[in-house]
Amino acid sequence: MSERTLQGIHHVTAIAGDPQENVDFYVGVLGLRLVKRTVNQDDPGTYHLFYADAIGSPGTDLTFFAWPGAQHGREGAGQASAVALAIPTATLGYWTERLADHNIAFEGPRPRFDEEVIAFSDFHEQALELVAAPDGGSRQWRAWADSPVPAEFAIRGIHGVTINEAIEDPTIPFLTRELGFRPAGEMAGRRRFGVGPGGSGAWLDLIITPGAPRGRVAVGTIHHVAWRTPDGEQHRQWWQQIREMGVPISEIIDRFWFRSIYFREPGGVLFEVATDGPGFMVDESAEDLGARLVLPPWLEPHRSEIEGRLPRVELPQFAGRRARVGPTM
Ligand code: ZN
């Protein structure tokens, strides 16, 4: 590979059901900040909600398309299954207690490589893991002062993703030869790959289950995994490289907060490569992130129609924080 390497996970996007339940879980239980309250740009009548650290740092961002009333998906081959979130090593007890206090069933902590893993699901059955890894507490990350989870225990960002496939060829050569992933260990059928700097934030765990049926993307499943690239120039180079391989790929899409390209790895998982910038503060101050419905400029002319179709969503109330109500505030 050239010096151009993916820098780890930019964000993971999954499908939620009711958007209020989604906010209640990720803000109220996990203590992430809702940093962007917007719509799915490909389906502007539905929410796209972004949860992250205080300022939406790349690599901390877990996002959801809300499909209230839609069917549940099915975990299977050609799909990313669990999202792992990094927590500091000394916080396992805090988190098991917190999950129990919220009546959320969990398994673990269990060892995996040099980590301890707590496994559970959100309100819409999306598989999640809290992972205490030796380097997980040292991530680039900004504490959200209003979080219901004190900063010392707070989630530091996305640790990695698990991907399920029915066959290992040709996914592994695609990852290693084309995208620059490196094998980083194997344990109990879980093959770990790192990209760029490796470590927490840059793990892809591959589980091969021969003959596994394909998954179906709907509520409670992951829609796509986005990988980081620092700037527009490298982003264009990735687009060119993947296109020249003959892999079907989207055009370069301006998502306003970052640029995106989309393609499927050979096993079927939808990947995105996204630029680190310009970031979530191009249209909101750090203080106001996530407080109101924001639309990219090309959707602003349709604001009233869009707002009329979206259900109300409130931030959960805790620690005396005033809930902000409705999509328009
Ligand atoms: Zn994305």
Side-chain angles (χ1 to χ4, degrees):
M1 286 295 295
S2 64
E3 287 173 22
R4 172 167 51 86
T5 58
L6 299 173
Q7 296 296 303
I9 293 169
H10 186 287
H11 64 270
V12 174
T13 295
I15 314 286
D18 178 75
Q20 184 64 61
E21 291 172 2
N22 184 249
V23 171
D24 288 348
F25 188 86
Y26 287 92
V27 179
V29 179
L30 295 191
L32 300 177
R33 184 176 189 188
L34 178 65
V35 292
K36 200 59 70 180
R37 183 189 301 227
T38 186
V39 293
N40 181 344
Q41 292 179 15
D42 301 317
D43 181 13
T46 61
Y47 275 114
H48 190 182
L49 302 171
F50 293 66
Y51 305 92
D53 70 350
I55 57 167
S57 305
T60 67
D61 188 11
L62 184 52
T63 96
F64 290 87
F65 298 137
W67 295 0
Q71 281 195 335
H72 273 85
R74 186 183 63 225
E75 234 182 64
Q79 207 175 39
S81 53
V83 190
L85 302 167
I87 55 171
T89 45
T91 65
L92 286 162
Y94 171 86
W95 279 105
T96 51
E97 227 171 88
R98 185 170 179 84
L99 293 174
D101 285 349
H102 285 85
N103 295 315
I104 293 160
F106 60 90
E107 289 175 10
R110 286 188 185 153
R112 175 191 295 165
F113 300 107
D114 58 351
E115 306 161 350
E116 292 284 332
V117 180
I118 304 169
F120 57 106
S121 298
D122 74 7
F123 293 148
H124 302 133
E125 297 174 28
Q126 171 60 52
L128 297 168
E129 293 164 342
L130 290 172
V131 177
D135 64 343
S138 57
R139 302 269 308 273
Q140 265 197 356
W141 160 86
R142 286 273 289 277
W144 176 38
D146 289 336
S147 175
V149 175
E152 60 186 304
F153 305 112
I155 289 169
R156 295 318 203 238
I158 295 177
H159 178 71
V161 287
T162 299
I163 281 176
N164 296 310
E165 305 283 8
I167 50 169
E168 64 182 60
D169 272 344
T171 291
I172 291 176
F174 182 80
L175 290 174
T176 55
R177 288 184 208 149
E178 303 299 339
L179 298 187
F181 283 79
R182 303 175 303 275
E186 185 167 357
M187 182 181 178
R190 175 179 292 270
R191 298 170 73 166
R192 174 158 287 190
F193 296 84
V195 74
S200 187
W203 294 133
L204 183 162
D205 287 358
L206 191 59
I207 295 178
I208 311 283
T209 309
R214 280 193 78 84
R216 187 167 51 82
V217 172
V219 174
T221 65
I222 293 173
H223 188 270
H224 64 267
V225 179
W227 304 94
R228 295 174 63 179
T229 194
D231 56 45
E233 178 53 34
Q234 290 198 24
H235 193 247
R236 174 163 288 279
Q237 290 170 5
W238 282 112
W239 178 74
Q240 263 167 359
Q241 179 192 323
I242 294 159
R243 200 172 60 132
E244 279 163 14
M245 290 166 52
V247 173
I249 186 165
S250 72
E251 293 303 309
I252 295 174
I253 299 171
D254 181 0
R255 292 300 191 197
F256 196 59
W257 305 292
F258 45 84
R259 287 182 181 198
S260 300
I261 52 175
Y262 300 88
F263 55 97
R264 290 186 188 277
E265 57 79 31
V269 181
L270 185 60
F271 278 0
E272 173 180 351
V273 174
T275 54
D276 277 359
F280 293 117
M281 288 189 286
V282 287
D283 55 357
E284 289 181 296
S285 68
E287 189 188 341
D288 289 338
L289 284 175
R292 60 187 284 279
L293 183 75
V294 292
L295 298 172
W298 56 91
L299 287 176
E300 272 300 341
H302 309 288
R303 175 175 279 274
S304 61
E305 183 195 334
I306 289 169
E307 285 178 353
R309 292 174 62 184
L310 292 170
R312 289 159 62 96
V313 166
E314 302 177 18
L315 288 181
Q317 293 193 54
F318 45 80
R321 185 182 168 82
R322 184 175 64 86
R324 304 199 204 210
V325 180
T328 59
M329 282 188 65

